[in-house]
Amino acid sequence: MSMNIPILDWSLSSPTPEVEKFLCRPAFDERAETAAAKCLADIRARGLNAVLDACKAFDKADLSPADIRVTEAEIDAAEAACDDSVKQAIHQAAERIERFAKAGLRPDWTIPTPNGGRLGERFHPMDRVGVYIPGGTAPLASTSLMTVVLAKAAGVREIVACTPSRGGKNVSAPLLYALRVAGATEIYRVGGIQSIGMMAYGAGIPPVELIAGPGNAYVTAAKRQVYGTVAIDQVAGPSEICVLADEAGKAKWIAADLLSQAEHGSGLEKSLLVTDSHAFAQAVRDEVIAQIAVRNRREIIERMISNGGMMLVVVPQLKEDGVTLCNRFAAEHLELQVADAEAVLPRITCAGAVFVGYWTPESAGDFVAGPSHVLPTGGAARMFSGLTAETFRRRSSFVEFSKEDLAETRNAIETFGRLEGLDAHAYAASVRFES
């Protein structure tokens, strides 16, 4: 195929229209929104029967109510089917993810009030949460760890995992083993919109309090539409990567990094290179074309490129125009492949995750580094942050006033009550000082 990988100039003073259009990718797919609304309404009306019908229609999985939950015997068989290298990789990743997750948990805290009282916050794990694990074109065993390990680290007791079956009732053995290692307490071979409805509305299973995890456009639309019935983590759609690179980088490495996110399968992924050298951009493009030819998922990558998903942009100044462009793109993954990456890092304000230096490929973050790879996409990194163990906890503030604290603030309370026409609010403070 003809490789449509444009190399374009862009600057703060002369923003190229094609680059501007590339930045403005939609966060939602209207077709997916419509399909999700229809399927979720059916699940609300008919419960588990609607879930099973959707599994048959969308995943070609003819399941009975007794089939949807993966049994312990099946997980035992999956564990036996995994070779030692797979098990070792899963355990290594799980340990690193758990360590990072626990380090990020906020402790309970208090501060004193001026007159002997206390203020503070308390954190409590949710009781029952759901996670979605993609299992279509690429069963993501790593996502099992990047979600469930965090929930377990937060102290959640019931962790429900949903993933689609393939070829009837089959679920990837490494994915199942990863879910066991991570600490999932229930596993269901249900995917897509129907899994989100099942977990949110309690169709055949007890409902969850929060749903987390990435998915395709249909899963993302379903999560958005059940928000309010349950909590959700964020909007996580098609994968994307942005690489800020100078000529000291290696074109071969950067081409590989750009392709790493092009192979996920939706055809809507985005890969953006920002550099200050036309010659280097051309070298990267040549490497991309050469590497595609030997990739296992060549057709998927070519479809993404034919959809305009890869662009190489040349800017006059990396630290000015380049950083601004990266922040505007607000990528799910941003690599700083520049000689002074540590100096550039503080200037990056909008990115799901940042990978610093030549020896930090994005794939390290996808699999083993520690932070979760469940990250905002489609520019949502301007508003949302990546999944952490904190996502699976409730936060409650508390106030403990002394009599002297209330006396000190009484006039302000009464004033606000008067200003807002809420005299019962004001009296709730005043009454405590009546004889």
Side-chain angles (χ1 to χ4, degrees), residues 131-427:
V131 300
Y132 184 79
I133 315 297
T137 60
L140 300 183
S142 59
T143 302
S144 303
L145 305 175
M146 296 285 182
T147 52
V148 177
V149 169
L150 276 62
K152 187 175 180 181
V156 179
R157 292 177 300 174
E158 297 180 13
I159 306 171
V160 178
C162 281
T163 191
S165 60
R166 299 183 299 161
K169 300 176 184 177
N170 297 326
V171 179
S172 159
L175 190 154
L176 287 179
Y177 180 64
L179 284 172
R180 167 172 278 181
V181 170
T185 57
E186 300 167 38
I187 304 172
Y188 296 92
R189 61 181 109 245
V190 179
I193 298 166
Q194 60 270 25
S195 70
I196 304 303
M198 182 179 76
M199 291 188 284
Y201 302 132
I205 67 171
V208 301
E209 298 163 347
L210 174 142
I211 298 174
N216 62 21
Y218 294 89
V219 170
T220 299
K223 284 174 62 180
R224 194 171 80 88
Q225 292 181 30
V226 299
Y227 175 67
T229 299
V230 295
I232 65 170
D233 52 347
Q234 61 186 272
V235 176
S239 296
E240 56 193 28
I241 185 171
C242 177
V243 181
L244 183 71
D246 58 23
E247 287 187 286
K250 292 184 182 294
K252 190 172 187 177
W253 296 6
I254 291 168
D257 295 348
L258 293 173
L259 290 174
S260 70
Q261 296 309 298
E263 66 177 353
H264 275 287
S266 77
L268 301 175
E269 291 76 21
K270 296 287 185 182
S271 295
L272 173 66
L273 170 68
V274 180
T275 186
D276 58 353
S277 166
H278 275 278
F280 188 70
Q282 182 62 59
V284 171
R285 181 164 67 178
D286 291 345
E287 274 291 339
V288 165
I289 294 170
Q291 290 183 31
I292 289 174
V294 297
R295 293 279 69 84
N296 293 336
R297 299 168 74 85
R298 175 177 178 174
E299 291 184 3
I300 286 173
I301 295 170
E302 289 178 343
R303 184 171 73 249
M304 172 266 198
I305 291 175
S306 70
N307 289 337
M310 186 174 293
M311 182 175 287
L312 315 181
V313 178
V314 181
V315 296
Q317 296 287 335
L318 279 183
K319 291 184 179 179
E320 298 299 330
D321 308 80
V323 166
T324 298
L325 184 58
C326 290
N327 282 329
R328 284 194 55 203
F329 189 58
E332 177 188 20
H333 310 105
L334 173 63
E335 289 187 359
L336 300 180
Q337 298 283 315
V338 293
D340 53 351
E342 288 289 346
V344 175
L345 178 59
R347 304 187 63 183
I348 300 300
T349 58
C350 296
V354 185
F355 303 86
V356 183
Y358 302 119
W359 291 96
T360 317
E362 183 280 332
S363 55
D366 267 351
F367 297 140
V368 298
S372 178
H373 70 204
V374 182
L375 301 165
T377 65
R382 290 187 295 271
M383 302 86 73
F384 292 92
S385 301
L387 187 69
T388 71
E390 283 294 332
T391 306
F392 297 98
R393 298 207 297 175
R394 293 184 285 261
R395 179 189 64 85
S396 299
S397 62
F398 73 87
V399 178
E400 181 183 347
F401 265 17
S402 66
K403 179 178 180 181
E404 291 74 20
D405 285 318
L406 187 59
E408 181 184 47
T409 58
R410 174 183 174 183
N411 287 341
I413 294 169
E414 291 172 344
T415 298
F416 277 109
R418 184 176 68 254
L419 287 173
E420 298 179 7
L422 302 173
D423 66 321
H425 282 62
Y427 187 62

Side-chain angles (χ1 to χ4, degrees), residues 44-78:
R44 286 197 302 272
R46 299 195 299 121
L48 182 58
N49 287 334
V51 171
L52 298 176
D53 287 347
C55 288
K56 188 172 184 179
F58 300 136
D59 295 333
K60 305 297 184 284
D62 191 1
L63 304 175
S64 71
D67 291 330
I68 62 170
R69 184 165 179 175
V70 177
T71 66
E72 287 298 311
E74 289 176 293
I75 303 172
D76 289 341

